[in-house]
Amino acid sequence: MRRVSAYSFRRLPDRHGHFGPYGGRFVPETLMTALEELEAAYRSAKGDPRFRKELDFYLKTYAGRPTPLTPAGRLSKALGVRNVFLKREDLLHTGAHKINNTLGQVLLTARMKKKRVIAETGAGQHGVATATVCALFGIHCDVYMGEEDMRRQALNVFRMKLLGARVMPVKTGSRTLKDAVSEAIRDWVTNVRDTHYIIGSVIGPHPYPMMVRDFQSVIGEETLRQIASERLPFPDALVACVGGGSNSIGLFYPFLRKPVELIGVEAAGLGIRTGQHAATLSVGEVGILHGSKSRVLQDKDGQVQLAHSISAGLDYPGVGPEHAYLKSVGRVEYVSVTDKEALEGFQLLSKTEGIIPALEPAHAIGYLLKHRRKFKPSDTIVVCLSGRGDKDVEQVSKVLEI
Amino acid sequence: MTRRIEKKFESLKKERKKALVLFMTAGDPSLEKNEALIHSFEKEGVDLVELGVPFSDPLADGPVIQAASYRSLRRGTNLRKILGLVERVRKRSEIPLLLMSYLNPVWHYGLERFAREAEKAGVDGLIFPDLPPDEGKEASALFERFGIDLVYLLAPTSALKRQKLVARSSGGFIYYVSVTGVTGARSVLPDAAQVIRRIKREADLPVCVGFGVSTPRQAKRMSQAADGVIVGSAIVKALAEHPDLPAKAFCRRYVRPFARALGK
């Protein structure tokens, strides 16, 4: 366990939105005023007890918080450690942690009196979570989604339409998540006066990485409270998957100054050496993408490369700037597991606990399985189970021959 | 050393003329064609040329320049080759040349290495659509050392505070984005005259207006309050439709009307 007291994580980002050398606001001038307004609106909301109360109300009565911290006895036994606890974000409405953020941002949208919301989505989870809260508040919602992803995730496209959102096919570039983000930014540049852009992860220009982190921190704060109130052993390690990095930062953030090992698991796809992966922190270089400075998968000319992962939610060539910072100071260890290892985690959790995880957190389980020798028999581990696996069952059935 | 951009605007001012600035994506249809075009542009009375550096994720660009960017990348265009193009042009011409690039390719190349090589090649200015002055202090200081102007942009959404910030940070000129949106033709452009006059009260620098200017008529109207007009997508689109038209003929057909509109 490294010493952590030297870093004052609680005060990051600084007032310019920088996490050390990362973060910031690298956007067209047209958006600068809107980002300043958003930051002011967010800071005022954050300090307003009524906003907090309203958000808590919806988190509880609509999303289903608090989520349980489930002791996973048979999984612990299989891994040879004392305790594994699962933070059950998979039990939330819409099936993943995404709604923690979209509820917060839709309340902010109403507070800013914006009439329209846009969002990007890869597999469709964030798109569905955004369409859901927009239906709840009667706000017009347009979701950008790559044409290729629309084909792969036809059911989520239908869900969003059912919820009253318009799904805008993105036909440029690779027609996947990265281009959906670019297209959403282009829309925002054009309609910034009456539109709020709900980014789905801790990426993008300041204040998004800070704001989305704060909304997702409910995961870690609740975990801390549950450990205390249920008198559970304090964890030795927290493990969560990292794509853009919102569920992991949500779990880690309240623990940054606590004596606990933090492990972020990226997608190694077909293997780091094949080049077909999404392990941005493991092998990406410093770069500027979608409004912030962070680590980016890029070629020798600084062109952004395509990521690959069996899990659409991790399939992104960038990563939140705070993760780049936490890696640089050594507070979080970032590792990666392959598609194959994630599938092993997917099956292990299903068979030992009767819980089918989404492919994203299956990476966290896959990591524990692969590196179980690294842990001591006395260890207690908390895993963020960021989403449920229903959305992935069809895809997995094609890969696995059970 | 007098800078080419400054010198150009000074001489335009003496002649009471407005600058015609043309944009094209470097490497589309080819670097050789770009080279021939720059010389033909100059003969038609174009005052400054912007070369777009292609990028995989051009988030401030509309479909026309996006497509040009992807075509250029497929041909293997990169920063080094674009600097080579500038160097070749510089042997025969003193026309002010600017590179317009998203920050990442230049960042990845190394800012200082790039500044050194860009100066040597004869680049006069840089425009980064995703680098506002708030994040650009270091870059501004660095490029200043190499005598390269870092041009910042203003938009219709920029409040007075930001107009002041850009006015004191920009080099060469100020790029006023005429529309709230991405690059590309618009049939109707908002009246920018009032904003441009306000910006000019804040700044000693010339103000050029771009984004959406696609007809000679629009160029003429936009030039009235501004010091120059930037035409991009209209040229890139014409090039995409007629990649084989010789440079001279292309300019007669697509550039001359803009030059005439500005009294060249």
Side-chain angles (χ1 to χ4, degrees), chain B residues 175-202:
Chain B
Y175 191 135
Y176 180 69
V177 175
S178 66
V179 294
T180 308
V182 294
T183 58
R186 305 289 198 285
S187 49
V188 184
L189 290 180
D191 185 13
Q194 219 181 334
V195 189
I196 292 168
R197 277 189 212 106
R198 204 170 72 201
I199 297 167
K200 284 177 72 72
R201 276 204 298 275
E202 301 295 334

PDB file of all heavy atoms in Angstrom, chain B residues 175-202:
ATOM      1  N   TYR B 175      -9.764  35.807 -35.233  1.00  0.00           N
ATOM      2  CA  TYR B 175     -10.639  35.037 -36.116  1.00  0.00           C
ATOM      3  C   TYR B 175     -12.035  35.075 -35.516  1.00  0.00           C
ATOM      4  O   TYR B 175     -12.283  34.467 -34.485  1.00  0.00           O
ATOM      5  CB  TYR B 175     -10.113  33.599 -36.175  1.00  0.00           C
ATOM      6  CG  TYR B 175     -10.732  32.701 -37.227  1.00  0.00           C
ATOM      7  CD1 TYR B 175      -9.908  31.893 -38.013  1.00  0.00           C
ATOM      8  CD2 TYR B 175     -12.115  32.625 -37.431  1.00  0.00           C
ATOM      9  CE1 TYR B 175     -10.445  31.044 -38.975  1.00  0.00           C
ATOM     10  CE2 TYR B 175     -12.653  31.786 -38.388  1.00  0.00           C
ATOM     11  CZ  TYR B 175     -11.820  30.996 -39.163  1.00  0.00           C
ATOM     12  OH  TYR B 175     -12.352  30.158 -40.100  1.00  0.00           O
ATOM     13  N   TYR B 176     -12.921  35.821 -36.160  1.00  0.00           N
ATOM     14  CA  TYR B 176     -14.296  35.863 -35.642  1.00  0.00           C
ATOM     15  C   TYR B 176     -15.153  34.815 -36.357  1.00  0.00           C
ATOM     16  O   TYR B 176     -15.288  34.829 -37.578  1.00  0.00           O
ATOM     17  CB  TYR B 176     -14.917  37.256 -35.805  1.00  0.00           C
ATOM     18  CG  TYR B 176     -16.328  37.286 -35.258  1.00  0.00           C
ATOM     19  CD1 TYR B 176     -16.571  37.173 -33.885  1.00  0.00           C
ATOM     20  CD2 TYR B 176     -17.428  37.369 -36.112  1.00  0.00           C
ATOM     21  CE1 TYR B 176     -17.857  37.145 -33.375  1.00  0.00           C
ATOM     22  CE2 TYR B 176     -18.732  37.344 -35.608  1.00  0.00           C
ATOM     23  CZ  TYR B 176     -18.930  37.229 -34.241  1.00  0.00           C
ATOM     24  OH  TYR B 176     -20.210  37.179 -33.746  1.00  0.00           O
ATOM     25  N   VAL B 177     -15.703  33.900 -35.571  1.00  0.00           N
ATOM     26  CA  VAL B 177     -16.557  32.841 -36.099  1.00  0.00           C
ATOM     27  C   VAL B 177     -17.962  33.430 -36.258  1.00  0.00           C
ATOM     28  O   VAL B 177     -18.598  33.801 -35.272  1.00  0.00           O
ATOM     29  CB  VAL B 177     -16.583  31.655 -35.109  1.00  0.00           C
ATOM     30  CG1 VAL B 177     -17.557  30.589 -35.560  1.00  0.00           C
ATOM     31  CG2 VAL B 177     -15.181  31.077 -34.945  1.00  0.00           C
ATOM     32  N   SER B 178     -18.424  33.520 -37.498  1.00  0.00           N
ATOM     33  CA  SER B 178     -19.647  34.293 -37.738  1.00  0.00           C
ATOM     34  C   SER B 178     -20.913  33.603 -37.244  1.00  0.00           C
ATOM     35  O   SER B 178     -21.918  34.243 -37.000  1.00  0.00           O
ATOM     36  CB  SER B 178     -19.783  34.581 -39.233  1.00  0.00           C
ATOM     37  OG  SER B 178     -19.995  33.364 -39.924  1.00  0.00           O
ATOM     38  N   VAL B 179     -20.878  32.275 -37.128  1.00  0.00           N
ATOM     39  CA  VAL B 179     -22.105  31.563 -36.753  1.00  0.00           C
ATOM     40  C   VAL B 179     -21.882  30.739 -35.486  1.00  0.00           C
ATOM     41  O   VAL B 179     -20.765  30.363 -35.159  1.00  0.00           O
ATOM     42  CB  VAL B 179     -22.561  30.603 -37.884  1.00  0.00           C
ATOM     43  CG1 VAL B 179     -22.965  31.389 -39.111  1.00  0.00           C
ATOM     44  CG2 VAL B 179     -21.478  29.594 -38.218  1.00  0.00           C
ATOM     45  N   THR B 180     -22.965  30.467 -34.799  1.00  0.00           N
ATOM     46  CA  THR B 180     -22.904  29.550 -33.663  1.00  0.00           C
ATOM     47  C   THR B 180     -23.010  28.150 -34.246  1.00  0.00           C
ATOM     48  O   THR B 180     -24.105  27.665 -34.507  1.00  0.00           O
ATOM     49  CB  THR B 180     -24.068  29.833 -32.693  1.00  0.00           C
ATOM     50  OG1 THR B 180     -24.055  31.223 -32.390  1.00  0.00           O
ATOM     51  CG2 THR B 180     -23.920  29.040 -31.410  1.00  0.00           C
ATOM     52  N   GLY B 181     -21.874  27.530 -34.505  1.00  0.00           N
ATOM     53  CA  GLY B 181     -21.927  26.213 -35.134  1.00  0.00           C
ATOM     54  C   GLY B 181     -20.599  25.798 -35.696  1.00  0.00           C
ATOM     55  O   GLY B 181     -19.563  26.388 -35.379  1.00  0.00           O
ATOM     56  N   VAL B 182     -20.620  24.772 -36.530  1.00  0.00           N
ATOM     57  CA  VAL B 182     -19.394  24.240 -37.106  1.00  0.00           C
ATOM     58  C   VAL B 182     -19.155  24.857 -38.478  1.00  0.00           C
ATOM     59  O   VAL B 182     -19.988  25.617 -38.979  1.00  0.00           O
ATOM     60  CB  VAL B 182     -19.473  22.695 -37.210  1.00  0.00           C
ATOM     61  CG1 VAL B 182     -19.515  22.073 -35.825  1.00  0.00           C
ATOM     62  CG2 VAL B 182     -20.686  22.257 -38.019  1.00  0.00           C
ATOM     63  N   THR B 183     -18.014  24.518 -39.105  1.00  0.00           N
ATOM     64  CA  THR B 183     -17.703  25.063 -40.420  1.00  0.00           C
ATOM     65  C   THR B 183     -18.685  24.528 -41.457  1.00  0.00           C
ATOM     66  O   THR B 183     -19.246  23.444 -41.303  1.00  0.00           O
ATOM     67  CB  THR B 183     -16.282  24.678 -40.860  1.00  0.00           C
ATOM     68  OG1 THR B 183     -16.168  23.244 -40.880  1.00  0.00           O
ATOM     69  CG2 THR B 183     -15.234  25.234 -39.911  1.00  0.00           C
ATOM     70  N   GLY B 184     -18.876  25.299 -42.514  1.00  0.00           N
ATOM     71  CA  GLY B 184     -19.759  24.848 -43.594  1.00  0.00           C
ATOM     72  C   GLY B 184     -20.680  25.955 -44.055  1.00  0.00           C
ATOM     73  O   GLY B 184     -20.942  26.916 -43.325  1.00  0.00           O
ATOM     74  N   ALA B 185     -21.154  25.808 -45.286  1.00  0.00           N
ATOM     75  CA  ALA B 185     -21.965  26.851 -45.924  1.00  0.00           C
ATOM     76  C   ALA B 185     -23.271  27.100 -45.176  1.00  0.00           C
ATOM     77  O   ALA B 185     -23.875  26.187 -44.625  1.00  0.00           O
ATOM     78  CB  ALA B 185     -22.262  26.453 -47.368  1.00  0.00           C
ATOM     79  N   ARG B 186     -23.696  28.342 -45.127  1.00  0.00           N
ATOM     80  CA  ARG B 186     -25.002  28.715 -44.594  1.00  0.00           C
ATOM     81  C   ARG B 186     -25.673  29.596 -45.639  1.00  0.00           C
ATOM     82  O   ARG B 186     -25.020  30.464 -46.215  1.00  0.00           O
ATOM     83  CB  ARG B 186     -24.881  29.542 -43.304  1.00  0.00           C
ATOM     84  CG  ARG B 186     -24.071  28.916 -42.200  1.00  0.00           C
ATOM     85  CD  ARG B 186     -24.785  27.734 -41.559  1.00  0.00           C
ATOM     86  NE  ARG B 186     -24.213  27.409 -40.263  1.00  0.00           N
ATOM     87  CZ  ARG B 186     -23.049  26.792 -40.062  1.00  0.00           C
ATOM     88  NH1 ARG B 186     -22.307  26.449 -41.099  1.00  0.00           N
ATOM     89  NH2 ARG B 186     -22.622  26.535 -38.847  1.00  0.00           N
ATOM     90  N   SER B 187     -26.965  29.404 -45.830  1.00  0.00           N
ATOM     91  CA  SER B 187     -27.626  30.274 -46.804  1.00  0.00           C
ATOM     92  C   SER B 187     -27.852  31.659 -46.197  1.00  0.00           C
ATOM     93  O   SER B 187     -27.822  32.664 -46.878  1.00  0.00           O
ATOM     94  CB  SER B 187     -28.932  29.651 -47.287  1.00  0.00           C
ATOM     95  OG  SER B 187     -29.691  29.239 -46.180  1.00  0.00           O
ATOM     96  N   VAL B 188     -28.063  31.692 -44.889  1.00  0.00           N
ATOM     97  CA  VAL B 188     -28.251  32.987 -44.222  1.00  0.00           C
ATOM     98  C   VAL B 188     -27.212  33.136 -43.117  1.00  0.00           C
ATOM     99  O   VAL B 188     -27.024  32.231 -42.309  1.00  0.00           O
ATOM    100  CB  VAL B 188     -29.657  33.088 -43.593  1.00  0.00           C
ATOM    101  CG1 VAL B 188     -29.856  34.478 -42.985  1.00  0.00           C
ATOM    102  CG2 VAL B 188     -30.726  32.799 -44.635  1.00  0.00           C
ATOM    103  N   LEU B 189     -26.517  34.259 -43.109  1.00  0.00           N
ATOM    104  CA  LEU B 189     -25.539  34.511 -42.045  1.00  0.00           C
ATOM    105  C   LEU B 189     -26.055  35.622 -41.146  1.00  0.00           C
ATOM    106  O   LEU B 189     -26.662  36.581 -41.612  1.00  0.00           O
ATOM    107  CB  LEU B 189     -24.204  34.932 -42.663  1.00  0.00           C
ATOM    108  CG  LEU B 189     -23.421  33.851 -43.409  1.00  0.00           C
ATOM    109  CD1 LEU B 189     -22.128  34.439 -43.970  1.00  0.00           C
ATOM    110  CD2 LEU B 189     -23.105  32.689 -42.498  1.00  0.00           C
ATOM    111  N   PRO B 190     -25.826  35.496 -39.840  1.00  0.00           N
ATOM    112  CA  PRO B 190     -26.263  36.563 -38.947  1.00  0.00           C
ATOM    113  C   PRO B 190     -25.468  37.835 -39.218  1.00  0.00           C
ATOM    114  O   PRO B 190     -24.358  37.786 -39.749  1.00  0.00           O
ATOM    115  CB  PRO B 190     -25.955  36.003 -37.557  1.00  0.00           C
ATOM    116  CG  PRO B 190     -24.975  34.920 -37.760  1.00  0.00           C
ATOM    117  CD  PRO B 190     -25.145  34.404 -39.146  1.00  0.00           C
ATOM    118  N   ASP B 191     -26.033  38.962 -38.838  1.00  0.00           N
ATOM    119  CA  ASP B 191     -25.343  40.223 -39.035  1.00  0.00           C
ATOM    120  C   ASP B 191     -24.238  40.345 -37.990  1.00  0.00           C
ATOM    121  O   ASP B 191     -24.511  40.433 -36.798  1.00  0.00           O
ATOM    122  CB  ASP B 191     -26.337  41.375 -38.908  1.00  0.00           C
ATOM    123  CG  ASP B 191     -25.661  42.698 -39.230  1.00  0.00           C
ATOM    124  OD1 ASP B 191     -24.541  42.664 -39.765  1.00  0.00           O
ATOM    125  OD2 ASP B 191     -26.251  43.752 -38.929  1.00  0.00           O
ATOM    126  N   ALA B 192     -23.007  40.327 -38.482  1.00  0.00           N
ATOM    127  CA  ALA B 192     -21.882  40.300 -37.550  1.00  0.00           C
ATOM    128  C   ALA B 192     -21.284  41.688 -37.333  1.00  0.00           C
ATOM    129  O   ALA B 192     -20.416  41.868 -36.492  1.00  0.00           O
ATOM    130  CB  ALA B 192     -20.815  39.346 -38.061  1.00  0.00           C
ATOM    131  N   ALA B 193     -21.752  42.662 -38.107  1.00  0.00           N
ATOM    132  CA  ALA B 193     -21.082  43.971 -38.133  1.00  0.00           C
ATOM    133  C   ALA B 193     -20.957  44.587 -36.738  1.00  0.00           C
ATOM    134  O   ALA B 193     -19.891  45.065 -36.345  1.00  0.00           O
ATOM    135  CB  ALA B 193     -21.821  44.916 -39.066  1.00  0.00           C
ATOM    136  N   GLN B 194     -22.057  44.502 -35.984  1.00  0.00           N
ATOM    137  CA  GLN B 194     -22.054  45.150 -34.679  1.00  0.00           C
ATOM    138  C   GLN B 194     -21.023  44.518 -33.729  1.00  0.00           C
ATOM    139  O   GLN B 194     -20.278  45.216 -33.048  1.00  0.00           O
ATOM    140  CB  GLN B 194     -23.443  45.020 -34.078  1.00  0.00           C
ATOM    141  CG  GLN B 194     -23.877  46.257 -33.349  1.00  0.00           C
ATOM    142  CD  GLN B 194     -25.260  46.071 -32.748  1.00  0.00           C
ATOM    143  OE1 GLN B 194     -26.063  45.265 -33.246  1.00  0.00           O
ATOM    144  NE2 GLN B 194     -25.538  46.769 -31.678  1.00  0.00           N
ATOM    145  N   VAL B 195     -21.018  43.173 -33.710  1.00  0.00           N
ATOM    146  CA  VAL B 195     -20.070  42.468 -32.836  1.00  0.00           C
ATOM    147  C   VAL B 195     -18.638  42.777 -33.258  1.00  0.00           C
ATOM    148  O   VAL B 195     -17.767  43.016 -32.418  1.00  0.00           O
ATOM    149  CB  VAL B 195     -20.292  40.939 -32.888  1.00  0.00           C
ATOM    150  CG1 VAL B 195     -19.460  40.248 -31.826  1.00  0.00           C
ATOM    151  CG2 VAL B 195     -21.755  40.598 -32.726  1.00  0.00           C
ATOM    152  N   ILE B 196     -18.399  42.750 -34.568  1.00  0.00           N
ATOM    153  CA  ILE B 196     -17.042  42.987 -35.050  1.00  0.00           C
ATOM    154  C   ILE B 196     -16.570  44.386 -34.652  1.00  0.00           C
ATOM    155  O   ILE B 196     -15.438  44.563 -34.199  1.00  0.00           O
ATOM    156  CB  ILE B 196     -16.964  42.782 -36.581  1.00  0.00           C
ATOM    157  CG1 ILE B 196     -17.167  41.294 -36.890  1.00  0.00           C
ATOM    158  CG2 ILE B 196     -15.629  43.267 -37.129  1.00  0.00           C
ATOM    159  CD1 ILE B 196     -17.387  40.989 -38.350  1.00  0.00           C
ATOM    160  N   ARG B 197     -17.467  45.355 -34.750  1.00  0.00           N
ATOM    161  CA  ARG B 197     -17.080  46.717 -34.340  1.00  0.00           C
ATOM    162  C   ARG B 197     -16.738  46.759 -32.860  1.00  0.00           C
ATOM    163  O   ARG B 197     -15.799  47.431 -32.440  1.00  0.00           O
ATOM    164  CB  ARG B 197     -18.198  47.710 -34.666  1.00  0.00           C
ATOM    165  CG  ARG B 197     -18.127  48.158 -36.111  1.00  0.00           C
ATOM    166  CD  ARG B 197     -19.092  49.301 -36.413  1.00  0.00           C
ATOM    167  NE  ARG B 197     -19.534  49.157 -37.791  1.00  0.00           N
ATOM    168  CZ  ARG B 197     -20.735  48.739 -38.154  1.00  0.00           C
ATOM    169  NH1 ARG B 197     -21.655  48.463 -37.249  1.00  0.00           N
ATOM    170  NH2 ARG B 197     -21.031  48.607 -39.427  1.00  0.00           N
ATOM    171  N   ARG B 198     -17.507  46.000 -32.058  1.00  0.00           N
ATOM    172  CA  ARG B 198     -17.233  45.983 -30.625  1.00  0.00           C
ATOM    173  C   ARG B 198     -15.875  45.333 -30.339  1.00  0.00           C
ATOM    174  O   ARG B 198     -15.107  45.805 -29.513  1.00  0.00           O
ATOM    175  CB  ARG B 198     -18.343  45.233 -29.883  1.00  0.00           C
ATOM    176  CG  ARG B 198     -18.460  45.652 -28.440  1.00  0.00           C
ATOM    177  CD  ARG B 198     -19.702  45.088 -27.799  1.00  0.00           C
ATOM    178  NE  ARG B 198     -19.560  43.656 -27.593  1.00  0.00           N
ATOM    179  CZ  ARG B 198     -20.589  42.821 -27.434  1.00  0.00           C
ATOM    180  NH1 ARG B 198     -21.823  43.254 -27.483  1.00  0.00           N
ATOM    181  NH2 ARG B 198     -20.385  41.544 -27.245  1.00  0.00           N
ATOM    182  N   ILE B 199     -15.591  44.232 -31.069  1.00  0.00           N
ATOM    183  CA  ILE B 199     -14.296  43.563 -30.879  1.00  0.00           C
ATOM    184  C   ILE B 199     -13.164  44.510 -31.260  1.00  0.00           C
ATOM    185  O   ILE B 199     -12.143  44.597 -30.584  1.00  0.00           O
ATOM    186  CB  ILE B 199     -14.213  42.269 -31.717  1.00  0.00           C
ATOM    187  CG1 ILE B 199     -15.279  41.266 -31.256  1.00  0.00           C
ATOM    188  CG2 ILE B 199     -12.823  41.649 -31.616  1.00  0.00           C
ATOM    189  CD1 ILE B 199     -15.481  40.104 -32.214  1.00  0.00           C
ATOM    190  N   LYS B 200     -13.374  45.255 -32.341  1.00  0.00           N
ATOM    191  CA  LYS B 200     -12.312  46.149 -32.808  1.00  0.00           C
ATOM    192  C   LYS B 200     -12.039  47.295 -31.822  1.00  0.00           C
ATOM    193  O   LYS B 200     -10.938  47.832 -31.802  1.00  0.00           O
ATOM    194  CB  LYS B 200     -12.641  46.689 -34.203  1.00  0.00           C
ATOM    195  CG  LYS B 200     -12.415  45.631 -35.292  1.00  0.00           C
ATOM    196  CD  LYS B 200     -12.798  46.111 -36.672  1.00  0.00           C
ATOM    197  CE  LYS B 200     -11.827  47.134 -37.212  1.00  0.00           C
ATOM    198  NZ  LYS B 200     -10.513  46.517 -37.579  1.00  0.00           N
ATOM    199  N   ARG B 201     -13.042  47.597 -31.021  1.00  0.00           N
ATOM    200  CA  ARG B 201     -12.798  48.602 -29.973  1.00  0.00           C
ATOM    201  C   ARG B 201     -11.854  48.053 -28.903  1.00  0.00           C
ATOM    202  O   ARG B 201     -11.127  48.794 -28.269  1.00  0.00           O
ATOM    203  CB  ARG B 201     -14.119  49.025 -29.323  1.00  0.00           C
ATOM    204  CG  ARG B 201     -14.834  50.123 -30.110  1.00  0.00           C
ATOM    205  CD  ARG B 201     -15.779  50.923 -29.227  1.00  0.00           C
ATOM    206  NE  ARG B 201     -16.841  50.126 -28.649  1.00  0.00           N
ATOM    207  CZ  ARG B 201     -17.998  49.849 -29.259  1.00  0.00           C
ATOM    208  NH1 ARG B 201     -18.220  50.303 -30.479  1.00  0.00           N
ATOM    209  NH2 ARG B 201     -18.925  49.140 -28.677  1.00  0.00           N
ATOM    210  N   GLU B 202     -11.890  46.741 -28.708  1.00  0.00           N
ATOM    211  CA  GLU B 202     -11.062  46.109 -27.678  1.00  0.00           C
ATOM    212  C   GLU B 202      -9.654  45.812 -28.173  1.00  0.00           C
ATOM    213  O   GLU B 202      -8.735  45.638 -27.383  1.00  0.00           O
ATOM    214  CB  GLU B 202     -11.678  44.776 -27.218  1.00  0.00           C
ATOM    215  CG  GLU B 202     -13.068  44.875 -26.634  1.00  0.00           C
ATOM    216  CD  GLU B 202     -13.088  45.677 -25.342  1.00  0.00           C
ATOM    217  OE1 GLU B 202     -12.054  45.729 -24.654  1.00  0.00           O
ATOM    218  OE2 GLU B 202     -14.142  46.270 -25.053  1.00  0.00           O
TER     219      GLU B 202
END
